[in-house]
Amino acid sequence: MRDLPFPDRVPLACTPTPLAYLARTSAVLGVETWIKRDDLTGSVLTGNKVRKLEFLMAEALALGADTVLTCGGEQSNHCRATALAATQLGLASRLLLRTEDPARPPPTGGNILLDRLAGAEIRWISRSEYANRAALLAAEADAVRAAGRVPYVIPEGGSSALGSWGYIAAAAELATDLAALPPRPTTIVYACGSGGTGAGLILGARLLDLAARGVRVAGVNVCDDRAYFTRVIGQICRDFAERWPLGVQIAAEDIDIVDGWVGLGYARSQPAELEVLRDLARREAIVLDPVYTGKAFYGVTRELARDGRRFGERLVFVHTGGVFGLFPAAAELAPLL
Ligand SMILES: *Cc1c(COP(=O)(O)O)cnc(C)c1O
């Protein structure tokens, strides 16, 4: 395998994570099904964001930062992971969390409870303010500097060229695990929310030449649409190529987004999605989250119902975590249990 020039990283994630075969689900879906257990990267500091944060936090420390700033939805897994990682490394954190009415913030449950336990400072912002999140973060950084401290800004989802190294590392783990299996047309499927996981997997697959082994990468978007993510992931890949000239050019047609499964919208569930989440939990003791992995896996089951070979002969679903998003959805789940 090609030696990849990984930037500095701080160890935060428990990796490599296992690639597990799901025999019963393979029978139900009619395709060989595996799951990459990135829900096991830690207990509370867990999920896909931890992989990106290993590289982002290394840069924050190298730049002498003492305060980390980032943003997300009210139940953001990324913000929770950032708050916990910052505290672990002795840094302060300030989170800009989007909510319906900033004057009436949501209850302290799920990820918000963990943000607060980690000691993060939270600023509630409206949907319209969130549209200008880059400017808001820059203004927050100015305020931190004015107070004589050193800020480090992490973009939404940790999705940047540097953060994408986290999923290049995950692609390298998958390459090793898949090399031990009989070669078969394979699709690595992930839930796409801000594009960084997708960019990392696509870049990693290219750097490791996984296509030569019949391995493709496809993302199921849980918000926005294909055009949006083709643009966002394309931009991260261009930024990456500029900062690390390794000869990888990712074209729009290299970015496979399985659109059509956003449903009622970001972080809004439908009973059919929650039923698929429940059924996987009861069949495999693998618990997905309603916002990302549950919605994406629902999309996978529906795509397979239309075309059993949609993902080739082997499906590798990346479980990107998100378990704490389950608890705010308890009332919606209860009637299905
Ligand atoms: C953030 C997140 C995703 C999406 O990853 P992106 O890199 O933001 O596209 C998927 N699953 C979970 C559980 C997440 O928290």
Side-chain angles (χ1 to χ4, degrees), residues 34-49:
W34 296 72
I35 191 158
K36 172 71 169 162
R37 296 292 308 270
D38 274 10
D39 57 324
L40 298 180
T41 53
S43 62
V44 285
L45 183 50
T46 185
N48 62 338
K49 304 310 183 304

Side-chain angles (χ1 to χ4, degrees), residues 180-245:
L181 301 177
R184 220 158 261 167
T186 297
T187 307
I188 298 169
V189 178
Y190 64 96
C192 188
S194 66
T197 300
L201 288 171
I202 292 165
L203 288 163
R206 178 66 66 82
L207 287 163
L208 299 158
D209 200 15
L210 294 188
R213 294 198 249 145
V215 180
R216 310 186 306 117
V217 175
V220 181
N221 57 303
V222 302
C223 54
D224 301 285
D225 59 14
R226 179 184 290 128
Y228 175 81
F229 282 111
T230 305
R231 191 165 70 245
V232 168
I233 293 174
Q235 187 60 51
I236 297 172
C237 293
R238 276 191 297 283
D239 293 347
F240 181 92
E242 205 169 289
R243 188 159 169 191
W244 291 280

Side-chain angles (χ1 to χ4, degrees), residues 66-72 79-80 82-84 86-87 91-98 112-125 137 140 143-144 147 149:
D66 55 29
T67 307
V68 177
L69 307 171
T70 195
C71 64
C79 289
R80 177 255 308 155
T82 301
L84 290 161
T87 298
L91 311 179
S93 62
R94 183 159 168 81
L95 312 174
L96 306 187
L97 296 180
R98 180 188 64 224
I112 301 168
L113 176 61
L114 292 166
D115 297 340
R116 308 227 13 209
L117 277 171
E121 220 185 298
I122 295 176
R123 175 178 162 194
W124 297 102
I125 62 172
L137 283 169
E140 288 283 344
V144 169
R149 302 181 59 106

